[in-house]
Amino acid sequence: MKTVNIGLLGFGTVGAGVVDGLRRNGNLIAARLGVRPVIYRIADLDTTRDRGVPVEKGVLVSDAAGVIDDPNTQVVVELIGGTGAARACILSALKQGKPVVTANKALLAEHGAEIFGAANASGTDIYFGASVGGGIPIIRALREGLAGNRIERILGILNGTCNYILTRMEADGLPFEAALAEAQDKGYAEADPGLDIDGHDTAHKAAILASLAHGMIVPLDAVRVEGIRGLAKLDIRYAADLGYRIKLLAVVKRAGGALDVRVHPALVPLHHVLASVSGVFNAVMVRGDLAGDTLYYGRGAGREPTASTVIGDVVDIVRNLVSASPGRVPVVTTGPAEVVRDFSTRYYLRMTLSDRPRVLAQAADVLGRHGISIASAIQKEGPDDGFVPVVMLTHEADETACAAALREIDAMDVVGAPTVRLRIEG
Ligand code: HSE
């Protein structure tokens, strides 16, 4: 049987998963393809550490450029990560007309225009299925299965670490730090946990999904990002009392000719399908004008799920090589997207108000003057310090109007602490 040579760059957790997956399922994959993808070379600076997978002598080398330039390397799989060496490697491979598979979300979110441009210029393939959603083939769904749709909305739970933390805080009453430590132990967290909990990892993924769905590059700095650091257990509990669960959501919506792209914690109704996505699982709900709502669910990180998607991309590229149709599914982008600064949504507001007559009316009056309509309000019994928590759910309102109203409310001397403001989506 003919073979196709893969040059693997980066022999970390996912790299080892790819080597292992190709070994375990090699015969099956070869039978499906009619050719056999083989790991021809692996480049990693560390050529001695045992990764627990067998590698033939001479396959593991330290020089990535040598692997890319080797005329026998037919497909390059970049699993180095980061935006330095990985970028140079990918651009070099694409310039040589060699198809590339990458899982590098940060690189695509920051340099997508350059990388997609290089692939299109040389008429070769760039596949990046594992950059969003780990083992969930969401990228493929957007590039192929939903290609006939205008995408109206994407809602995604895209960070397993955050979803794990939120689930453990809500279901088991765990403090934030302990839940984060558990997620790190399980190998889901980024090396810098700030990337997860401050929402940046999700923002990278949101920018990639938005760019693909709308054929326009979404600059990362246009994505509004808030993470889950500092989220209070009290709000998780009040949200539950009101019939909601708090999730870190990526939101992509069309807003006229512009896009609304944001990442923040949001209250999701308990009956919404995304509310039942718990632990490290990820899910993406995509609404197409023809398909309606579609849902993609699975493991968003980890060695084997991520390797599954990387290998799936290799399989597709090998098909394109065999059928001499490189660039069969190009990433077409028409330039930078216009991203809105303001947007409309519903809000959960937790105010800390002095427990005296007319105070609630004063706060409600400020909201009313900013055009914000209250859908429901509950006053909880507070600690014995003269202040009480008042939780309000609003009807849809503009973000700027809400921010202005809260500035006014928080400046009143009857307010004991800054108001907590969370959005409601779903
Ligand atoms: N840190 C990410 C997560 C890994 O927790 O989901 C996958 O991108």
Side-chain angles (χ1 to χ4, degrees), residues 2-329:
K2 274 175 69 176
T3 56
V4 170
N5 285 338
I6 298 166
L8 173 62
L9 314 179
F11 199 21
T13 305
V14 177
V18 169
V19 172
D20 190 41
L22 277 175
R23 187 178 56 84
R24 269 161 50 190
N25 296 341
N27 290 341
L28 193 68
I29 293 167
R32 285 175 182 153
L33 277 172
V35 294
R36 181 180 291 275
V38 294
I39 297 289
Y40 168 67
R41 289 284 180 275
I42 305 172
D44 196 288
L45 292 178
D46 181 348
T47 55
T48 52
R49 185 163 54 91
D50 180 12
R51 276 82 167 180
V53 288
V55 175
E56 276 174 44
K57 218 169 152 18
V59 168
L60 182 56
V61 298
S62 60
D63 173 24
V67 172
I68 299 165
D69 297 345
D70 185 329
N72 293 321
T73 301
Q74 293 168 278
V75 179
V76 172
V77 175
E78 182 277 311
L79 297 174
I80 300 169
T83 54
R87 171 169 164 261
C89 287
I90 290 176
L91 290 174
S92 164
L94 292 173
K95 280 196 187 110
Q96 296 180 45
K98 295 191 182 184
V100 171
V101 176
T102 179
N104 196 326
K105 59 214 153 179
L107 182 63
L108 291 174
E110 284 173 34
H111 300 284
E114 182 185 30
I115 288 168
F116 299 145
N120 291 340
S122 63
T124 191
D125 285 312
I126 175 94
Y127 277 66
F128 45 97
S131 63
V132 180
I136 308 172
I138 176 62
I139 298 281
R140 183 159 312 205
L142 283 172
R143 289 178 87 177
E144 300 186 46
L146 295 171
N149 285 255
R150 183 181 291 280
I151 304 300
E152 306 285 0
R153 187 185 82 169
I154 300 174
L155 295 179
I157 294 173
L158 297 172
N159 186 272
T161 299
C162 288
N163 207 47
Y164 186 85
I165 291 171
L166 294 172
T167 302
R168 293 287 273 145
M169 285 176 77
E170 187 200 349
D172 307 296
L174 225 66
F176 180 88
E177 296 298 340
L180 169 62
E182 272 191 10
Q184 285 174 314
D185 274 357
K186 288 172 185 265
Y188 296 113
E190 298 297 315
D192 165 12
L195 274 176
D196 293 307
I197 58 185
D198 294 325
H200 302 298
D201 175 78
T202 307
H204 289 146
K205 295 165 179 168
I208 294 171
L209 292 183
S211 298
L212 265 189
H214 296 282
M216 294 181 274
I217 294 290
V218 174
L220 201 50
D221 59 8
V223 180
R224 181 189 294 262
V225 189
E226 286 173 29
I228 61 166
R229 199 193 286 267
L231 192 70
K233 262 162 68 174
L234 194 62
D235 294 306
I236 293 178
R237 203 175 78 221
Y238 289 168
D241 290 351
L242 291 161
Y244 293 86
R245 193 163 278 153
I246 298 180
K247 295 291 181 191
L248 181 70
L249 280 193
V251 179
V252 180
K253 291 182 182 171
R254 292 196 321 126
L259 296 182
D260 169 12
V261 188
R262 48 194 155 95
V263 171
H264 51 66
L267 277 73
V268 177
L270 282 172
H271 58 74
H272 193 283
V273 67
L274 290 180
S276 62
V277 176
S278 60
V280 293
F281 279 86
N282 283 199
V284 192
M285 192 173 211
V286 182
R287 180 174 296 167
D289 63 341
L290 302 179
D293 280 326
T294 56
L295 181 74
Y296 309 85
Y297 169 87
R299 292 183 188 278
R303 174 179 133 134
E304 294 194 338
T306 310
S308 158
T309 304
V310 170
I311 294 172
D313 282 352
V314 168
V315 164
D316 237 30
I317 281 180
V318 171
R319 286 195 179 113
N320 294 351
L321 288 175
V322 168
S323 62
S325 51
R328 190 178 55 85
V329 192

